[in-house]
Amino acid sequence: MADVRQGNRPVIGATVSALIERPMDSNNVTYPAMEIELQDNGSGADNIKNDGIYARYFTHYTGKGRYSVKCQVVGTEDTKVNEGFITSKKSIPMTPGTPMCCGGDTVNANSKLSSTGNFSRQSAAGSFQIPIDIDPDLDVTPPSRVLDLSGKASDDAIILEFTAPGDDLDSLSPAKLFLIKYSESASNLTGENFNDDVFNTEISLDDLLPGSVLTPPNGGQTFQIKVNRALFEEQIQYNFALKTQDKANNTSPVSNIARVYLSPPDLSASTNMVPSFGIVLCISSIGYLLKAY
């Protein structure tokens, strides 16, 4: 991961990339260095959006040996310093109420942002060692857990939105399919209960409004579907969750739960997002003005 700051203030909206040099495989085949773009979007390896910490999972191993990492951060006129944070190790908003956990966004309407201007910084982030042989053609890595599933009601639909994971964790390659379910009880969507149709209902393609699909886009893209509101009863709170399956049938953990209350048509609908926890694989660290992390 890369911790990008100006002094002790997080820098958001920068382009952060990691260049990983990989060893030969067991057949002495060499592989080129791989560049991946780290994200600060509150999904995949990155738990909190816009906190200045950029992260991404690395899964393209070529075998055992040493992997060296270099990082680069580039800022433009659109890159901002979030002045609503007051410590270097902990995300603190200017006003109470900002989501602070997985899938949350630290920037709100009251956040104070200032431009960094154009800049570029590089840092050698060290290396890590893989002690065992790895078959690069064997797919055992599932898509990452969705952390930012949210929902809201419109006149004709329940609209679900989240950041799509990749085929392997948060890679760019698209996964195979989404399994999206709902229930009146949130506990019916957690753990093993998610797989039991006695406790919940799976959303099918026929349940969607025209234009919506269940086919995953490239990893990292914002994905939205519209579920026909006529399937649901009014004045009831529904809970939604999903799993993602890749082409090798590896399946992600259950996402966070999005709650949608269906008010009568003349009242506004309310939504809630229940944050969830994830594990971040750290691969590098870099600070704006080359601050050590």
Side-chain angles (χ1 to χ4, degrees), residues 168-190:
D168 294 330
L169 298 173
D170 58 0
S171 66
L172 293 177
S173 301
K176 183 175 71 173
L177 59 89
F178 293 127
L179 301 169
I180 305 176
K181 295 188 174 185
Y182 66 91
S183 174
E184 293 182 27
S185 172
S187 63
N188 291 341
L189 297 170
T190 59

Side-chain angles (χ1 to χ4, degrees), residues 31-51:
Y31 292 82
M34 183 175 186
E35 183 174 346
I36 59 175
E37 184 175 343
L38 309 186
Q39 301 291 331
D40 185 18
N41 59 2
S43 67
D46 184 67
N47 280 340
I48 303 174
K49 184 177 181 179
N50 289 325
D51 65 349

Side-chain angles (χ1 to χ4, degrees), residues 8 33 67 130 173 179-180 183 193 220 230 251:
N8 63 358
Y67 294 74
I130 298 297
S173 301
L179 301 169
I180 305 176
S183 174
N193 288 339
T251 304

Side-chain angles (χ1 to χ4, degrees), residues 146-271:
V146 169
L147 301 175
D148 60 350
L149 175 64
S150 63
K152 63 182 179 181
S154 67
D155 290 341
D156 62 348
I158 289 180
I159 303 171
L160 302 176
E161 186 173 288
F162 56 93
T163 303
D167 186 84
D168 294 330
L169 298 173
D170 58 0
S171 66
L172 293 177
S173 301
K176 183 175 71 173
L177 59 89
F178 293 127
L179 301 169
I180 305 176
K181 295 188 174 185
Y182 66 91
S183 174
E184 293 182 27
S185 172
S187 63
N188 291 341
L189 297 170
T190 59
E192 293 300 320
N193 288 339
F194 183 92
N195 299 323
D196 194 336
D197 292 336
V198 173
F199 298 107
N200 50 56
T201 303
E202 182 175 347
I203 294 174
S204 69
L205 189 59
D206 293 336
D207 297 329
L208 307 182
L209 294 185
S212 290
V213 297
L214 293 173
T215 304
N218 290 339
Q221 292 188 7
T222 299
F223 185 77
Q224 184 184 95
I225 63 169
K226 295 182 178 181
V227 186
N228 191 343
R229 180 166 175 159
L231 299 171
F232 306 94
E233 297 181 25
E234 299 294 329
Q235 299 186 19
I236 292 178
Q237 178 174 270
Y238 290 93
N239 302 275
F240 296 83
L242 69 92
K243 287 184 175 183
T244 310
Q245 190 175 89
D246 70 9
K247 298 175 181 63
N249 294 326
N250 299 307
T251 304
S252 73
V254 183
S255 70
N256 68 290
I257 294 175
R259 292 172 175 158
V260 180
Y261 177 74
L262 293 184
S263 301
D266 58 332
L267 298 177
S268 61
S270 63
T271 67

